[in-house]
Amino acid sequence: FPDSLLCDAGGVMDALQRSCATCADSRKDFYILGDTSYGSCCVDEVAAEHVGADCIIHFGPSCLTQTSRLPVLYVFGREPVDTGHCASCFRQLFPSPKAHVLVMYDTVYSHCADGLSEELSKEYKNLVVSSLMLPQVLQKKQTTLEDVHLTGMGLHGGYSTDASEASTHSEELKRKDGEFHRFGRYFRLSSPADVGLGEYQIFYIGSEGLALSSLMLSYNRNQFYSYNPETKSSRKEMTSINKALGRRYFLVQKAKEARTVGILVGTLGAANFMEVIKRLKEVIKLAGKRYYTFAMGKLNPAKLANFMEIDVFVLVACPQNSLLDSKEFHKPVITPFELEMACIRGLVWKGNYVTDYRELLPGGPYHHPLEREASECGEIEPEFSFINGGLIHFATSDETKSSGNTERQGAVVRKTNTELTSWSPAGSYMQSRSWKGLEQRLGECEPQKAVQGRSGIAAGYSHEQNHY
């Protein structure tokens, strides 16, 4: 359950228990998973495995990221939508019936897609309405709780997915006869031979949030329009995509100058997250940089501020949670796509933006093979820095190996002819700090006798004169 629906979790569990009590095998245990390990849009497989769950029922909005171990039943709910008012706003935004429009929506508004398509398709011949493509199994099942209502929203027909029938990440985005699969949605263009996807305008149903931001960055060549069912307002999205992409490109330049990279594990249930972490380690090594791997749950500036030796962090998470606004953080937080843009030599940004890390893996549409020949021969030319105006010198693979393996806690080096000592990059950084925290300094300070301390409160201690 997301945080906004925790108040209804108890009633839903009681309804499930009553429904299962009539079954032949009524020995079923239910657990409420409240505080998610990472984002509320992701299926929390980690918490489910702590109680030995056999399957998960995910309530509320979802990023539709493919799971890796447990079967999942999705219950998005039915957020209220005035289909007639939405269609009226659509006609105002697109007065020409020949307009090429692609309709997308948040998962909680998926129930209105058929009604809206039926009302507008007769008038707009080039209208394309996307459909939800649930991970692994595209099968819709009728739920036994259709008559049970939550506060403010009714339970929608559940969707099931079985992790045992998982598809490969190469099927996440493909085009065949004008059909596109991406971000848990699929659609077929009405006239793929004449009009490409870049010439379509996108009409999004939902409130402003991470889901809309992720779609706007990924389809940055399309003009977006949005309709908010909560406020019953529609608008042309005037958010400057070029400005947002410029900000992300600036982070890429910062990552080029970084010497130490921190890999943040932002998911433990999404499929192929271990594969992309392994690939990021290879990319960082070939770029002559050091790396550390962190798993710390939900991120905040205070947590990351404890690791000042890290120059830049890369977040491995679902497409919605990977776009972390790092303005309040001490060090930049980038996506795996941005790290590859910074570290892979000869990779040119052509305007496409990738938020799903699985598209970077072998078989994905944005996969780039790693070239090791140049780094092994030591023929890496420096690059110009757009930040400080100088040249960036990259270390070769031999220099990287001589700097030590950061996967271990430390390396054993020879201090003298007969003495060995341990060394680690993090430890050497701590030695360069002027303030190193509280230290015991045993044997370095003379013992002192205990003296009488202050008494009272900070507003006025007993030994201070009263000036009021």
Side-chain angles (χ1 to χ4, degrees):
F1 281 89
D3 296 339
S4 59
L5 296 179
L6 274 180
C7 57
D8 303 308
V12 172
M13 189 178 70
D14 292 340
L16 287 171
Q17 290 175 339
R18 289 195 303 268
S19 177
C20 293
T22 59
C23 301
D25 183 12
S26 60
R27 296 189 306 173
K28 294 180 176 61
D29 297 327
F30 291 89
Y31 297 88
I32 298 176
L33 304 180
D35 187 17
T36 57
S37 302
Y38 297 98
S40 298
C41 62
C42 299
V43 177
D44 198 352
E45 284 189 318
V46 177
E49 289 183 337
H50 288 169
V51 297
D54 299 316
C55 65
I56 303 175
I57 303 177
H58 180 87
F59 288 87
S62 173
C63 58
L64 300 178
T65 302
Q66 180 180 343
T67 55
S68 57
R69 293 180 291 274
L70 296 177
V72 182
L73 173 68
Y74 289 93
V75 183
F76 302 130
R78 286 178 176 266
E79 287 284 357
V81 182
D82 189 344
T83 307
H85 186 269
C86 179
S88 176
C89 293
F90 184 93
R91 295 186 180 94
Q92 294 178 6
L93 293 174
F94 308 101
S96 174
K98 298 181 180 180
H100 293 79
V101 184
L102 171 62
V103 178
M104 292 186 175
Y105 42 83
D106 199 352
T107 54
V108 295
Y109 302 109
S110 60
H111 60 91
C112 72
D114 295 338
L116 185 65
S117 176
E118 182 179 355
E119 184 171 350
L120 295 175
S121 58
K122 297 179 181 179
E123 181 178 351
Y124 293 86
K125 301 301 180 182
N126 297 319
L127 178 69
V128 178
V129 180
S130 62
S131 301
L132 295 184
M133 181 187 68
L134 298 189
Q136 295 93 42
V137 178
L138 306 179
Q139 180 181 2
K140 182 176 179 180
K141 294 183 177 180
Q142 295 296 328
T143 177
T144 58
L145 303 178
E146 289 181 344
D147 298 331
V148 180
H149 295 277
L150 298 177
T151 302
M153 67 184 295
L155 279 174
H156 183 44
Y159 293 81
S160 67
T161 169
D162 189 354
S164 62
E165 302 182 25
S167 60
T168 59
H169 54 267
S170 61
E171 298 177 353
E172 180 68 14
L173 171 63
K174 63 181 180 181
R175 179 173 182 176
K176 183 179 180 181
D177 298 332
E179 185 172 304
F180 290 82
H181 292 187
R182 201 178 193 189
F183 302 130
R185 297 167 175 85
Y186 71 95
F187 53 89
R188 183 187 299 273
L189 299 184
S190 57
S191 54
D194 302 327
V195 180
L197 178 60
E199 301 182 32
Y200 272 77
Q201 303 174 86
I202 298 180
F203 181 73
Y204 178 80
I205 303 175
S207 59
E208 184 178 0
L210 294 176
L212 178 59
S213 300
S214 178
L215 290 174
M216 291 180 64
L217 281 177
S218 301
Y219 297 101
N220 54 69
R221 299 179 181 178
N222 303 84
Q223 176 60 55
F224 270 77
Y225 299 82
S226 66
Y227 174 79
N228 191 340
E230 297 179 2
T231 60
K232 290 188 176 183
S233 60
S234 60
R235 68 179 184 180
K236 178 181 180 180
E237 292 295 334
M238 302 302 294
T239 303
S240 177
I241 298 299
N242 293 331
K243 183 178 180 180
L245 291 176
R247 165 67 181 171
R248 308 306 301 190
Y249 187 75
F250 171 77
L251 297 180
V252 172
Q253 299 301 318
K254 294 285 289 185
K256 285 184 177 181
E257 300 183 3
R259 296 299 179 184
T260 307
V261 181
I263 303 176
L264 298 174
V265 182
T267 177
L268 294 177
N272 306 113
F273 82 96
M274 288 299 299
E275 286 83 348
V276 75
I277 290 178
K278 181 179 179 181
R279 174 176 172 83
L280 291 178
K281 293 178 180 179
E282 295 179 0
V283 170
I284 295 171
K285 283 183 179 179
L286 292 178
K289 306 177 187 295
R290 300 190 184 102
Y291 64 85
Y292 294 91
T293 306
F294 301 92
M296 59 181 67
K298 295 181 180 179
L299 303 178
N300 57 61
K303 285 184 179 180
L304 299 188
N306 293 320
F307 308 99
M308 296 301 295
E309 62 272 20
I310 305 298
D311 298 320
V312 65
F313 293 93
V314 54
L315 177 60
V316 179
C318 72
Q320 294 187 18
N321 292 324
S322 62
L323 292 175
L324 183 66
D325 188 2
S326 58
K327 293 181 179 180
E328 298 180 358
F329 291 77
H330 296 278
K331 297 298 175 65
V333 181
I334 63 176
T335 64
F337 169 73
E338 294 167 347
L339 182 69
E340 290 200 358
M341 291 295 305
C343 296
I344 297 181
R345 299 283 295 175
L347 191 59
V348 180
W349 195 357
K350 299 181 180 180
N352 297 326
Y353 193 84
V354 180
T355 56
D356 190 350
Y357 61 77
R358 292 190 298 160
E359 297 179 4
L360 306 174
L361 296 175
Y366 298 103
H367 171 71
H368 296 278
L370 302 180
E371 300 292 340
R372 294 177 173 82
E373 291 78 5
S375 61
E376 291 177 356
C377 298
E379 300 177 354
I380 300 182
E381 298 181 357
E383 287 188 358
F384 178 77
S385 173
F386 291 94
I387 298 179
N388 55 29
L391 295 178
I392 305 174
H393 296 273
F394 297 90
T396 62
S397 59
D398 295 336
E399 295 173 350
T400 306
K401 293 178 182 178
S402 63
S403 64
N405 185 4
T406 58
E407 277 296 284
R408 299 174 292 176
Q409 294 296 326
V412 178
V413 297
R414 183 179 296 277
K415 189 174 182 180
T416 62
N417 293 333
T418 59
E419 184 180 357
L420 295 177
T421 184
S422 61
W423 175 88
S424 68
S428 62
Y429 179 83
M430 288 292 295
Q431 294 297 327
S432 64
R433 286 184 173 182
S434 59
W435 186 81
K436 303 175 183 178
L438 300 178
E439 299 175 321
Q440 294 182 344
R441 303 179 64 87
L442 297 177
E444 300 181 13
C445 301
E446 296 182 0
Q448 301 288 334
K449 292 183 178 181
V451 297
Q452 182 67 33
R454 296 179 179 179
S455 61
I457 60 176
Y461 292 106
S462 59
H463 68 281
E464 296 178 341
Q465 295 181 358
N466 189 359
H467 299 286
Y468 299 99

